[in-house]
Structure formats: C-alpha cells, structure tokens
Amino acid sequence: MERWTVPHRERRRRRESHPVQDFLFTYYSLRPSRLEQWHPGPGVRLLGDTAEFAEQPGYRPDGDGIVLDPALLPRRLRDTAGFVHGLVRATASRPARLGCFGLHEWAMVYRIEQPRHDAVPLRLGPAGTDEVVESMSVHCTHHDAFRFFTAAARARNAVAPTREDQVAMEQPGCLHATMDLYKWAYKLLPATPSSLLGDCFALAAEVRELDMRASPYDLADHGYPPVAIETPAGRAEYARAQAGFAERAAPLRERLLGLCERLIAPAPERTNGTLAHQV
C-alpha cells in the first residue's frame, strides 16, 4: 500500500494537491495508516506477539494464539455487513451498462463558472464542455456522483438516483460502484482480510485514473493522456476499459459477499485445519 500512501504523505508535507489520487484519501475516508495495517480476516489463528490485534474488536484467545471471531464483533458492524451484502449482491445481479461514457464528471461542471478542480483547466473550455453534455444522453445511476451534478445538469440526467434508491439502481458497469468496493471493504474492518482490502484499493486507483482521463479536465501535465469521449474513438476506448473493470470487479464482489455472509450470521470460528500466521 505504500506505493500510494507514501507519495500521498509526501504531497501533504509539501502542501501539494493531486487532482487524481487525492480522491482516494479524501472522498474515501480511511486513513493511510489503517490502509497499511494488516488484518488476517476471520478464522485465522495468529501466533507470537499479537498484542496489537488483541486490542481490536472481535479477537479472542484460541489455543496458543488469537483469532478474529465474527460472533464477537459489534452489532453495528454486522448490520453494516447486512447492508453491504444486499447492495453488492443486487449490483452483481444486473448487466453492466457501458454507455455512460463518464459524463458524470462533465455534468459536475456543466454551465458553471467555477469548476470543482479549479487548478486544472478544462480541456475544451467551458463552452466546449457544455456542448459535449448537450450533445449526448446523460444516464448516471450512482447517487454519490449525481449529487455533485450542477442544477442544470441534474435536469438532463435520465434518472434521479437517491440514497434510498441505491440498492435498486447500482449496476456493475458504473466506475463509481466499482471504486466503492474499496469503501465497503474498509467499512467492515477489522474483519476484512487485508488481501481483499488491498485488491479493492488497487482496482479503485486504476478506475480513478480512467474516471479522470475521461473527464473534461486537461491532465496532460500530470501524466494522464485524455480519453476523448466527445469522439467515437474515445467513447469506444472508454467502453472497452469500463467493461474490463466490470469484469475485474466481479470476483472482488464475490469475495466481499463471502465475507459479509460470515459476518451476518456468525458461527463460532474454528481454526482446526486453517493456516496459523506467526506475527
């Protein structure tokens, strides 16, 4: 995780912002130190110096070590697991929509004078950006993207997703739904195995790059060539990448669902036959 956390800390010390990667540590609220912390997940017996784990909720003695037992986790965490399970299962059950072309970022600056990332220029300028939004159908199903639309753009969206509609509307082609797998993984800490948390974060970091490369911002000076979704070739490139991310997210959803199922109705964890880690 230091591949991302170390540069983030260095930028903070220099008081520098990054229009692409800061999102992973600001919109998503997990502290870098917690992202770097290792957790084994349920049912793995830890041996050796386990003091730092013994202070975490859910761990109990097990023979000559300790183990994370879902039955001992706070009720609020099990309730969160129930919500995450319902949302992720519903999302996975739907076909991926691949025709949004990342217009949510364009809709966030549609017909306003002050863009959200005001330190980065608009690639086509304000008028050109508005023309792109007006020339295409906007169909964003993700509430946490839609809520940042400008007032003029909200009226152009084919749907009006709300927090209450989230389970009914999210679909696996949505870049933000894929990035949010990281959020749902860290919401279940300390029960989430760090292998799952890290895989979700790494995928979110890649998706974020596409999200911003396809945005109206000119990020060439930051090393991000544009995906020009205002052109047929750019839209085709975006859809291919979007489909690839949806495919890569599918096994992460399955792993997250499996974890949720262990947390929703926990049985006492048995470590016979499981791997014991020396800490």
Side-chain angles (χ1 to χ4, degrees), residues 157-215:
N157 201 37
V159 292
T162 66
R163 181 71 66 201
E164 292 73 23
D165 297 330
Q166 189 172 13
V167 174
M169 296 196 71
E170 286 202 6
Q171 49 85 20
C174 172
L175 294 191
H176 278 263
T178 294
M179 286 191 284
D180 279 353
L181 292 175
Y182 167 59
K183 175 171 69 175
W184 304 129
Y186 74 67
K187 291 287 188 182
L188 299 177
L189 287 171
T192 306
S194 288
S195 55
L196 174 57
L197 181 70
D199 288 346
C200 289
F201 182 89
L203 184 58
E206 286 190 54
V207 173
R208 174 61 177 172
E209 290 189 13
L210 175 65
D211 195 33
M212 292 304 287
R213 288 179 60 212
S215 77

Side-chain angles (χ1 to χ4, degrees), residues 46-65:
L46 302 179
L47 308 176
D49 183 2
T50 59
E52 65 175 295
F53 296 93
E55 297 173 355
Q56 299 279 343
Y59 282 92
R60 63 167 172 80
D62 184 80
D64 55 351

Side-chain angles (χ1 to χ4, degrees), residues 2 4 11 22 30 37 67 85 95 115 127 133 136 138 154 202 210 212 232 245 249 266:
E2 288 181 346
W4 295 278
R11 288 192 301 270
D22 283 355
L30 189 69
Q37 186 178 19
V67 65
H85 186 272
V133 176
M136 300 170 65
V138 185
R154 290 173 70 89
L210 175 65
M212 292 304 287
F245 285 134

